[in-house]
Amino acid sequence: MDSEELFKQVYNIIEKDIKPFINADGGHIELDSIDENGIVYVTLGGACAGCMGAAHTLKGGVERILKEKIPAISEVRLAM
């Protein structure tokens, strides 16, 4: 799968399967980039910015869902 197709797949999953739940809690998530090692970089905002539970949401939610749906994804990290 090329990088453009991978980006589209991850973007669609975030938009349809992840973002509605984060938005419901007052948060916001945006896909920033995906590197050649399958590491996805996202930006969290709204209620997620500075929240103590953001790390759990990122690893236990976002990363878990993306890795289940797209085996090429190795990790999810916050964009800097």
Side-chain angles (χ1 to χ4, degrees), residues 1-64:
M1 170 182 332
D2 68 24
S3 60
E4 188 175 322
E5 181 61 30
L6 181 60
F7 190 91
K8 286 179 184 177
Q9 281 190 327
V10 171
Y11 178 84
N12 287 334
I13 291 168
I14 287 174
E15 291 296 311
K16 294 176 184 171
D17 299 336
I18 297 171
K19 188 178 267 189
F21 294 101
I22 291 178
N23 288 351
D25 285 336
H28 185 74
I29 185 170
E30 288 296 327
L31 175 58
D32 186 68
S33 63
I34 304 169
D35 75 11
E36 66 277 357
N37 297 313
I39 299 174
V40 174
Y41 292 90
V42 298
T43 304
L44 294 177
C48 292
C51 172
M52 298 292 284
H56 178 69
T57 297
L58 192 65
K59 294 295 181 180
V62 178
E63 183 176 280
R64 181 185 55 78

